[in-house]
Amino acid sequence: MLDTKTAVSATALAVAAPVAALLAYLLSFDLTTRQKLKGLNLPTPDIKSAFFIGQFREESFFYQMKTIFESIRSTYKVHTPIGPMVVTDDPEDFKKVFLQTNLEKGGANHEVRRYWGTNNLVTLPHGGEKGQIWKTQRTLLDQGFRIRALKVLQSTFVRHTEKFVANLETLVDQEVDMTSLFADFTFDIITDVIGAGGEAPREFKDNMNFLIRRLENPALLLPYGGYLMRYIMFRRANIIVDKFLYKIIRERKAARSHESFNEDKEHKTILDFLLEAEDDNGRKLTDHEIRDQLYVFFLAGFETSSNTLGWMAYELASHKECEQKLIDEVKSVDGPLDYDSARKLEYVQHCINECLRLYPPASNLTRETEQDFILPSRPDVIIPKGVQVTIFLFGMHRDPKYWDQAEEFVPERWSEPQQTPGAFGPFSSGSRVCIGRNFALAEIATLIHGIYNKYRFELKENVEKNGEIDGRTGLLRPYKVVGYLRKQN
Ligand code: HEM
């Protein structure tokens, strides 16, 4: 009897101790956040601060930020579940945070690392000991994204474009959702360039998509929430994704060790760069480290591009005169496109820029102060260590202070020098600027060239949420781009 009682008490203690520790942590975190915010002489939204979640109430972090920004319209402070935050849309602040000081990633990045893996370009810090690992990886992978390498990769974009356009023949005059078609296209390209061949198995695709979507899960805001999500909540999906990634690593290693393997014939994939990589001491990456890196190319490289394509289809269908101009340009250049021709499609690039301005896939970029810090927009305020500084790119890209007709789709603006050149930063800036920016621009232009050579897209009227922004995850995506595919006359 006594034994049973002891066992019950031991179990109760084992449950209660971590819960008490978590509560104590949250309480101290909440108090510190409030204290730091109190000392900042900045405007704040008129929303009462609740325990831990602070002033963030809406399901969508993006929509909450947008609403606050529209009412305050200057640098402000806010209580968030990732701590005290200062939000700004000032181009000079953007320059200081990313170029001049190069602040470190903070906020939920630790938990995102635990969820996605610790050894990849996106989540590694660039300072300290770990920063050396990031630097080695960045230098190495930069080779795979140089113009010379992209000229080789262009054949992959062309191959997938031809397949995509051939499939469109079966969809003419039918109702289509371009958002999902584009998502498949860019997913297959990433699968190809990481060395897994043309098309990933459906099971892998579905589970990878599922894991990406879970990045909005509030568990990521809790200490060790990343492990909780990776090994408990979404364990099965992780197992399926890992199985496929480890399989392609094994197969590529086996192919490379075969004596008939000829590197000149088979173009180099990102996986090859990772397999060849060595640090200064000659150490090679482990399979586990390579897996972390491959994982992140899906996170960073597929939805960013497909969302931009979705917005482009939407805006061109809503602006027929722009669509005609684009068609005229596309038809003046014969395919298949090489890399230089894709990048020289001037009006196409202007339309891409305009979509990236109006709908930057990463709507905000957050960094953490490591010591007292001053933003140029508020030189009178000293921001202490441990505050999140967020550049609200969406706000900066649409602020009438920096843009004429800020809310309008006007691709022509890109043929003139910009009113405020620093007010555009969809790929970020400084040492952590997007490694895949030229890749994405060529990939998008190649597909647009393929589609608009033969087809045009007509929006369906009265489709709920057609053209609305889905800002529930970290990335801005269109809810729907639904309409009809028409063959050009
Ligand atoms: C329209 C398309 C894209 C946009 C708007 C975009 C945007 C961004 C932004 C804003 C960052 C910086 C994030 C931060 O530091 O907080 C970033 C980083 C990154 N992007 Fe992209 N991206 C795009 C396409 C791609 C593609 C196609 C790839 C790969 C094939 C890619 C791979 C990466 C990687 C690996 C990083 C981390 C770089 C580092 O920290 O060293 N991106 N991207």
Side-chain angles (χ1 to χ4, degrees):
M1 187 67 188
L2 196 69
D3 277 349
T4 318
K5 258 192 183 166
T6 316
V8 170
S9 325
T11 315
L13 193 69
V15 174
V19 173
L22 181 66
L23 274 175
Y25 167 82
L26 294 181
L27 195 65
S28 115
F29 186 76
D30 188 76
L31 280 174
T32 318
T33 300
R34 284 170 199 271
Q35 249 164 20
K36 284 188 179 156
L37 285 169
K38 213 169 164 192
L40 290 173
N41 178 25
L42 289 170
T44 193
D46 188 15
I47 305 168
K48 208 169 166 10
S49 261
F51 174 66
F52 185 61
I53 61 163
Q55 291 162 292
F56 271 76
R57 295 294 155 76
E58 284 189 31
E59 179 200 359
S60 153
F61 188 73
F62 163 72
Y63 273 109
Q64 173 120 20
M65 276 202 149
K66 184 169 173 290
T67 316
I68 297 174
F69 214 85
E70 280 161 2
S71 67
I72 297 186
R73 284 253 165 241
S74 66
T75 305
Y76 68 87
K77 63 178 180 183
V78 62
H79 183 169
T80 80
I82 54 168
M85 185 181 276
V86 172
V87 185
T88 167
D89 85 331
D90 188 299
E92 287 305 314
D93 292 348
F94 179 41
K95 196 155 103 191
K96 179 157 181 193
V97 172
F98 286 86
L99 265 176
Q100 294 162 351
T101 320
N102 200 7
L103 289 181
E104 204 47 92
K105 292 191 179 196
N109 193 44
H110 293 304
E111 294 315 323
V112 176
R113 293 183 71 194
R114 287 173 177 143
Y115 179 47
W116 278 94
T118 47
N119 300 297
N120 61 61
L121 273 193
V122 171
T123 55
L124 275 166
H126 49 263
E129 222 176 276
K130 285 259 161 37
Q132 280 309 317
I133 306 176
W134 168 80
K135 211 168 178 180
T136 310
Q137 292 191 358
R138 175 86 197 202
T139 313
L140 199 108
L141 283 169
D142 265 335
Q143 294 173 40
F145 288 91
R146 287 216 185 106
I147 303 302
R148 200 154 48 93
L150 292 178
K151 285 187 175 177
V152 179
L153 271 186
Q154 178 66 21
S155 63
T156 308
F157 303 153
V158 168
R159 195 157 21 87
H160 284 272
T161 295
E162 284 170 352
K163 196 172 129 208
F164 185 95
V165 174
N167 282 343
L168 292 184
E169 190 61 46
T170 60
L171 300 172
V172 172
D173 295 333
Q174 290 189 32
E175 192 178 312
V176 285
D177 180 354
M178 299 303 279
T179 336
S180 59
L181 291 183
F182 290 141
D184 270 351
F185 171 80
T186 57
F187 195 99
D188 288 343
I189 286 188
I190 293 293
T191 315
D192 210 333
V193 300
I194 64 158
E199 235 175 89
R202 191 80 247 170
E203 197 188 32
F204 169 73
K205 249 184 200 177
D206 291 346
N207 283 285
M208 182 55 107
N209 261 305
F210 171 84
L211 292 174
I212 292 175
R213 295 277 191 278
R214 291 305 161 291
L215 275 170
E216 83 231 51
N217 197 293
L220 272 191
L221 302 174
L222 297 173
Y224 296 94
Y227 286 144
L228 180 76
M229 283 170 61
R230 183 160 163 185
Y231 296 111
I232 299 174
M233 291 163 74
F234 310 126
R235 185 164 172 270
R236 195 177 155 271
N238 267 298
I239 290 174
I240 292 166
V241 163
D242 277 359
K243 202 169 133 198
F244 180 69
L245 292 179
Y246 282 121
K247 178 171 161 278
I248 62 168
I249 297 171
R250 270 199 317 275
E251 285 177 357
R252 191 66 182 168
K253 270 185 167 171
R256 288 171 60 89
S257 64
H258 207 271
E259 53 192 33
S260 65
F261 179 76
N262 181 346
E263 206 167 17
D264 291 341
K265 267 197 206 150
E266 301 188 36
H267 74 252
K268 250 182 167 173
T269 63
I270 289 174
L271 182 53
D272 290 308
F273 282 105
L274 293 167
L275 288 168
E276 285 166 18
E278 276 180 12
D279 67 12
D280 294 345
N281 305 319
R283 189 186 78 89
K284 289 205 167 276
L285 296 175
T286 63
D287 286 4
H288 180 67
E289 286 167 331
I290 294 177
R291 168 253 179 232
D292 280 5
Q293 203 68 256
L294 295 182
Y295 217 71
V296 93
F297 278 105
F298 287 96
L299 168 69
F302 114 83
E303 269 218 303
T304 41
S305 302
S306 71
N307 294 344
T308 308
L309 278 160
W311 288 119
M312 213 151 151
Y314 171 78
E315 289 292 356
L316 290 172
S318 315
H319 297 85
K320 288 292 170 199
E321 63 306 338
C322 299
E323 185 193 61
Q324 192 53 50
K325 249 174 126 172
L326 179 130
I327 289 175
D328 292 345
E329 180 179 81
V330 157
K331 290 204 158 167
S332 70
V333 181
D334 290 336
L337 288 186
D338 59 25
Y339 176 82
D340 290 326
S341 323
R343 296 302 307 276
K344 278 188 196 139
L345 289 169
E346 208 173 80
Y347 195 69
V348 172
Q349 295 291 341
H350 291 169
C351 291
I352 299 175
N353 270 358
E354 192 61 350
C355 287
L356 290 171
R357 180 183 75 81
L358 287 170
Y359 313 100
S363 64
N364 59 80
L365 298 171
T366 297
R367 295 296 192 260
E368 189 172 309
T369 53
E370 288 156 332
Q371 54 198 353
D372 284 356
F373 188 77
I374 294 178
L375 286 172
S377 66
R378 285 303 301 261
D380 55 322
V381 177
I382 296 175
I383 304 172
K385 181 179 170 188
V387 173
Q388 310 300 317
V389 177
T390 290
I391 308 294
F392 189 39
L393 279 186
F394 181 91
M396 183 170 87
H397 286 182
R398 289 179 182 232
D399 194 325
K401 283 203 293 284
Y402 316 125
W403 306 92
D404 289 335
Q405 294 176 275
E407 296 288 334
E408 302 298 318
F409 178 76
V410 188
E412 286 68 23
R413 73 172 83 241
W414 294 97
S415 54
E416 304 287 328
Q418 291 312 294
Q419 211 174 319
T420 316
F424 184 63
F427 296 108
S428 185
S429 119
S431 75
R432 312 249 3 200
V433 67
C434 173
I435 201 173
R437 61 202 183 284
N438 290 318
F439 176 117
L441 294 173
E443 174 192 35
I444 295 170
T446 307
L447 184 65
I448 291 293
H449 179 270
I451 298 174
Y452 285 89
N453 234 304
K454 268 194 179 165
Y455 303 101
R456 56 176 10 131
F457 177 68
E458 202 177 286
L459 280 175
K460 193 174 170 190
E461 297 285 330
N462 304 323
V463 172
E464 194 208 353
K465 298 197 165 204
N466 217 352
E468 246 185 67
I469 298 172
D470 177 356
R472 282 170 300 178
T473 60
L475 293 180
L476 294 193
R477 65 166 72 86
Y479 269 107
K480 281 177 182 169
V481 182
V482 175
Y484 301 100
L485 192 73
R486 305 285 190 214
K487 213 164 194 164
Q488 289 171 29
N489 301 325

